[in-house]
Amino acid sequence: MRYSAMRVIEFAAAGGPEVLRIAEHPRPVPGHGEVVIKVAAAGVNRPDIQQRRGLYPPPPGASPIPGLDVAGIVVAAGPDVSGVSVGDAVCALANGGGYAEFCCVPALQCMPVPRGFTFVQAASLPEVYFTAWNNVIWLGRLAEGESLLVQGGTSGVGMAAIQIARKLRNATVYATAGTEEKLAVCRETGAQAAVSYKGPWDDEIRALTGGEGVDVILDAQAGPYTQRQLDLLKPDGRLIFIASHLGETAEVNVRSVVRRRLTLAGSTLRPRPAAYKGRIAAELVEQVWPLLESGAIATRIHAVFPFEDVRSAHRLLDENEQIGKVVLSVDPSLAQTVARSLPDGRN
């Protein structure tokens, strides 16, 4: 392989995990405000699966290579970069391109690897914590002492949302999951109660809240869940969608939304500008990173796959059997190394 080349995971057409293949691409060159990271580990996320299936195309200007979160060492920096230097150990939310040996990302979207974390652990953080923060704290406006329902509490985003809500908002948290094992994990993660989405989950949550309902719901299902969730909200409640796995459309009682002053919102973080994501990164480092370093908040990694076995990683997510995050070991010599952060955040 040429020195200026790198290995990547690509796919020529939409399909199952079998369409994924290793290819050789030129190494990226950083532009204004960007850095290049030598990738030690990369997270595998639900949007990667949707992109492989042809359902989630990258936004204009983003790399067509899948992969939204990476951890590794900064090896190059473009003009107008501050706060990140060559040699720093970082994890970052990428706009794409994470399934590669080198990844170019806006410097604003980089965060120091939490003290005591390996690169594999750090790669499990960006996408889920950015998503949880953006939707629960910013869009959902979860306030001190309010209540939150997390649909799918053992996803990476779900586990991040549960812990953020409990540790930073002292919220009462409910969650749904599909098996007894997953329900137990929801409770271990911090949910005060967890119910099966295979049963009358809305009636069960309503009973648990004494008929009051909840202040905020974080959901990726939509479709037939939509009105049931609106009915479960307290007055002034907020329903936040991050996907629509059960259906893109729903019939909604608008009169009830107006009368009860409800908010229904959705978000896609990937097309947002670097400045927006950079503000989230700064708040995560300030408020969540100390809790990660102290162990008050934990990341749960279900499995680590070699870069060459990316198809198995995608099959696992296709089967929806994982609890927590799935990570690719891109550089085995670095992936399980503990990245030590100096007091100023540099390495």
Side-chain angles (χ1 to χ4, degrees):
M1 185 168 66
R2 302 186 306 278
Y3 176 75
S4 61
M6 65 175 181
R7 293 188 309 157
V8 309
I9 303 295
E10 66 173 16
F11 52 91
E18 70 279 356
V19 304
L20 298 168
R21 65 189 184 191
I22 294 179
E24 186 178 297
H25 283 207
R27 289 189 188 180
V29 176
H32 283 269
E34 295 179 332
V35 299
V36 172
I37 299 169
K38 176 178 171 58
V39 179
V44 180
N45 297 291
R46 188 64 57 186
D48 306 343
I49 306 303
Q50 296 297 85
Q51 182 177 339
R52 189 205 73 217
R53 293 171 175 170
L55 302 175
Y56 187 53
S63 170
I65 299 167
L68 299 178
D69 44 17
V70 298
I73 303 291
V74 175
V75 295
D80 304 320
V81 168
S82 61
V84 184
S85 301
V86 171
D88 284 359
V90 299
C91 56
L93 182 71
N95 300 330
Y99 290 12
E101 292 177 319
F102 295 87
C103 181
C104 188
V105 301
L108 289 172
Q109 295 168 209
C110 293
M111 302 167 291
V113 172
R115 290 176 180 85
F117 273 52
T118 66
F119 286 108
V120 163
Q121 290 173 311
S124 73
L125 301 174
E127 198 269 344
V128 296
Y129 277 92
F130 270 82
T131 301
W133 195 267
N134 182 55
N135 290 282
V136 174
I137 301 301
W138 282 14
L139 296 182
R141 308 186 307 278
L142 184 69
E144 179 74 16
E146 286 193 323
S147 54
L148 169 71
L149 169 61
V150 178
Q151 297 278 24
T154 57
S155 68
V157 172
M159 297 178 81
I162 290 170
Q163 294 182 92
I164 286 171
R166 286 298 310 277
K167 299 298 182 179
L168 291 170
R169 292 296 185 268
N170 193 30
T172 300
V173 181
Y174 307 95
T176 63
T179 68
E180 288 301 322
E181 180 186 10
K182 289 185 176 183
L183 291 171
V185 170
C186 289
R187 291 187 287 268
E188 291 167 9
T189 303
Q192 279 96 330
V195 302
S196 174
Y197 60 70
K198 297 177 181 178
W201 51 267
D202 45 347
D203 290 337
E204 292 185 52
I205 297 297
R206 190 173 288 108
L208 288 167
T209 61
E212 291 188 357
V214 297
D215 295 292
V216 180
I217 299 175
L218 180 66
D219 179 51
Q221 305 307 317
Y225 274 28
T226 304
Q227 186 59 53
R228 294 169 71 184
Q229 294 182 128
L230 290 170
D231 291 341
L232 192 56
L233 287 174
K234 293 180 180 179
D236 299 300
R238 289 82 73 193
L239 170 58
I240 311 298
F241 289 119
I242 55 174
S244 54
H245 297 314
L246 288 182
E248 298 178 355
T249 62
E251 185 172 320
V252 170
N253 184 337
V254 177
R255 178 180 175 85
S256 177
V257 171
V258 173
R259 180 175 55 83
R260 299 172 59 229
R261 304 176 303 279
L262 305 180
T263 298
L264 192 159
S267 76
T268 301
L269 190 56
R270 194 174 183 184
R272 288 281 197 175
Y276 182 94
K277 294 179 227 181
R279 292 195 297 272
I280 297 178
E283 292 189 9
L284 289 174
V285 171
E286 178 185 2
Q287 299 186 53
V288 176
W289 259 225
L291 298 175
L292 286 164
E293 292 175 348
S294 71
I297 286 179
T299 182
R300 180 176 179 132
I301 296 174
H302 182 88
V304 180
F305 289 90
F307 187 65
E308 297 79 9
D309 197 17
V310 64
R311 293 178 178 177
S312 293
H314 273 236
R315 288 190 190 100
L316 180 60
L317 264 72
D318 279 347
E319 294 164 358
N320 197 33
E321 295 298 325
Q322 80 285 354
I323 299 177
K325 282 298 292 275
V326 174
V327 178
L328 295 177
S329 173
V330 181
D331 184 342
S333 70
L334 287 176
Q336 297 292 355
T337 301
V338 174
R340 297 178 180 177
S341 298
L342 297 178
D344 65 357
R346 293 179 56 189
N347 298 267

